[in-house]
Amino acid sequence: MPRWCDCNQPMSLELHTVIFAKKIEVKNVPIFSCMSCSTYEVLKPVKAHLTEYLQTIELSLHDPYQVVIFSDIDEVASLFCDLYKRNVEMDLEKIGDVVEVYKEERINLLLDVYQCALQMNDEGWMSDTQRRLEQLSQFHLEEHLSEAG
Ligand SMILES: [Zn+2]
């Protein structure tokens, strides 16, 4: 199931660098993009996290220019980043199963990490891991795809 652009062309999934207010460069942001009309759209769950994140860094903005690797802090961005590194073809018609397998592997790993953080009684690490688990388990690619309109 592809995602369709308003111009009726199928969109593709890409990692994009987004620059905010000419001051903050955010790399590895997953987007849907349309080759025909150059529209792009940040994936919805990622967009919510990105907006929230930008609000927090703007408050503590000392540097004139910052570069953020979004896949380091966002599990959905990290998921697509890993798929790119593994040279998985970003074909929205085929990628669903690969995404599910990856998600399961990564969730198991994060659960181990959580156990570790729990044993060390590290609350910061525990809440960070919990947040990552939520980002990943709440992400379902098919919810962001659409039938041809
Ligand atoms: Zn378009």
Side-chain angles (χ1 to χ4, degrees):
M1 205 169 23
R3 181 176 178 98
W4 296 90
C5 181
D6 291 342
C7 74
N8 289 323
Q9 292 301 309
M11 297 180 97
S12 60
L13 187 66
E14 285 167 22
L15 291 171
H16 194 69
T17 297
V18 186
I19 298 170
F20 291 90
K22 296 180 184 164
K23 282 182 181 167
I24 307 163
E25 186 176 320
V26 187
K27 290 182 185 285
N28 292 345
V29 178
I31 57 156
F32 288 117
S33 74
C34 174
M35 297 262 277
S36 322
C37 70
S38 307
T39 294
Y40 80 89
E41 191 183 326
V42 177
L43 259 71
K44 221 167 152 194
V46 171
K47 195 175 181 177
H49 184 201
L50 186 62
T51 308
E52 192 190 304
Y53 179 74
L54 286 170
Q55 279 163 356
T56 64
I57 60 172
E58 259 177 333
L59 294 171
S60 59
L61 196 62
H62 302 300
D63 301 323
Y65 197 82
Q66 286 192 39
V67 179
V68 176
I69 311 293
F70 199 59
S71 51
D72 286 349
I73 55 167
D74 186 275
E75 284 297 322
V76 176
S78 166
L79 187 163
F80 290 112
C81 198
D82 274 11
L83 295 180
Y84 265 104
K85 283 183 199 154
R86 293 183 199 179
N87 290 318
V88 174
E89 195 194 345
M90 288 291 143
D91 184 336
L92 289 170
E93 305 265 9
K94 299 175 195 158
I95 205 173
D97 292 342
V98 182
V99 167
E100 287 307 310
V101 169
Y102 174 93
K103 258 174 66 179
E104 203 171 314
E105 277 175 17
R106 181 75 184 159
I107 285 172
N108 285 334
L109 181 77
L110 285 169
L111 287 171
D112 288 346
V113 169
Y114 187 80
Q115 281 306 315
C116 209
L118 188 69
Q119 276 164 18
M120 291 173 72
N121 207 14
D122 185 331
E123 283 183 22
W125 194 13
M126 277 157 71
S127 62
D128 178 66
T129 309
Q130 203 161 17
R131 205 181 143 85
R132 287 172 185 273
L133 277 163
E134 279 166 15
Q135 284 164 4
L136 208 54
S137 56
Q138 287 166 6
F139 176 69
H140 304 286
L141 181 64
E142 68 274 18
E143 286 175 9
H144 305 284
L145 305 180
S146 54
E147 302 278 1

